């Protein structure tokens, strides 16, 4: 089941985050900020545990996503991104991914994203980002 995040989820999310992004994980304060800034588009996939999360903005920027390591390759990440695609109907979706994160790049390519550029030294440790974009799908939602 996919639902909006709740503050009581943060502890589990911190564990997912630590194994997913050892070089640049979010801390508790950053999860609170994301929760406040993206109240409707910070989502979690839940079974007996929190299996993964995604945060995106409605203008089509995918901010972060991660899946619990032992539950990867079971379609959870794809479901979360499909949720973002549905929320951002009619707009392209864009994201940044570390050049060294080849697994995530394969994941996004499988979901219809294209490589559109590179941002030099984008991450705080100096690693470059690849910029990826998925063309708009569906009609924009009435505001
Ligand atoms: C990237 C991530 C979110 C993918 O989540 P997931 O739930 O494992 O993805 P899915 O099961 O939906 O994968 C769908 C398809 O994407 C591709 N894919 C996913 N992970 C892949 C990997 N590590 N290597 C190559 N292809 C991959 C495959 O085609 C896969 O289909 P298959 O399993 O039938 O071969 C997950 O690996 C993760 O949390 N990684 C660490 C955090 C991270 O890198 N986040 C993205 C930062 S920009």
């Amino acid at each position: 089941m996919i639902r909006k995040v709740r503050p009581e989820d943060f502890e589990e999310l911190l564990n997912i985050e630590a194994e997913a992004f050892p070089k640049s994980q979010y801390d508790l304060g950053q999860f609170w900020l994301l929760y406040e800034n993206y109240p409707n588009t910070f989502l979690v996939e839940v079974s007996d545990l929190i299996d993964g999360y995604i945060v995106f903005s409605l203008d089509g920027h995918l901010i972060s996503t991660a899946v619990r390591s032992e539950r990867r390759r079971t379609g959870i990440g794809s479901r979360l991104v499909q949720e973002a695609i549905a929320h951002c109907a009619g707009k392209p979706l864009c994201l940044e991914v570390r050049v060294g994160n080849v697994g995530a790049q394969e994941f996004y390519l499988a979901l219809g994203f294209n490589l559109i550029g590179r941002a030099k030294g984008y991450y705080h440790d100096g690693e470059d980002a690849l910029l990826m974009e998925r063309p708009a799908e569906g009609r924009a939602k009435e505001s």
Side-chain angles (χ1 to χ4, degrees):
M1 176 190 69
I2 294 179
R3 62 159 170 77
K4 290 180 198 175
V5 76
R6 301 173 189 146
E8 57 266 33
D9 301 330
F10 290 167
E11 206 172 305
E12 274 191 72
L13 288 185
L14 284 171
N15 295 330
I16 294 174
E17 189 71 8
E19 57 182 24
F21 301 110
K23 292 193 225 167
S24 49
Q25 67 213 61
Y26 288 135
D27 61 22
L28 191 58
Q30 287 165 310
F31 274 134
W32 272 105
L33 268 182
L34 289 168
Y35 174 69
E36 283 162 14
N37 289 336
Y38 304 101
N40 298 313
T41 54
F42 184 174
L43 308 175
V44 288
E45 161 99 25
V46 188
S47 57
D48 52 331
L49 296 166
I50 307 287
D51 288 332
Y53 79 89
I54 191 164
V55 195
F56 56 95
S57 60
L58 283 173
D59 62 2
H61 186 217
L62 210 163
I63 296 162
S64 187
T65 187
V67 171
R68 186 180 289 281
S69 58
E70 68 271 20
R71 304 225 165 144
R72 288 182 193 159
R73 303 304 285 263
T74 64
I76 293 167
S78 298
R79 277 201 293 283
L80 288 165
V81 173
Q82 290 297 349
E83 197 69 25
I85 292 167
H87 274 76
C88 298
K91 294 176 203 138
L93 260 192
C94 65
L95 59 87
E96 299 81 31
V97 55
R98 284 180 181 266
V99 285
N101 193 351
V102 176
Q105 291 158 30
E106 294 288 338
F107 166 69
Y108 291 124
L109 287 170
L111 282 163
F113 285 79
N114 304 308
L115 187 57
I116 58 161
R118 181 170 181 135
K120 226 174 159 24
Y122 179 84
Y123 294 97
H124 66 82
D125 59 357
E127 188 169 346
D128 292 357
L130 295 182
L131 311 180
M132 300 185 81
E133 186 177 82
R134 189 179 189 281
E137 187 174 288
R139 291 175 51 154
K141 289 186 178 160
E142 307 272 325
S143 54

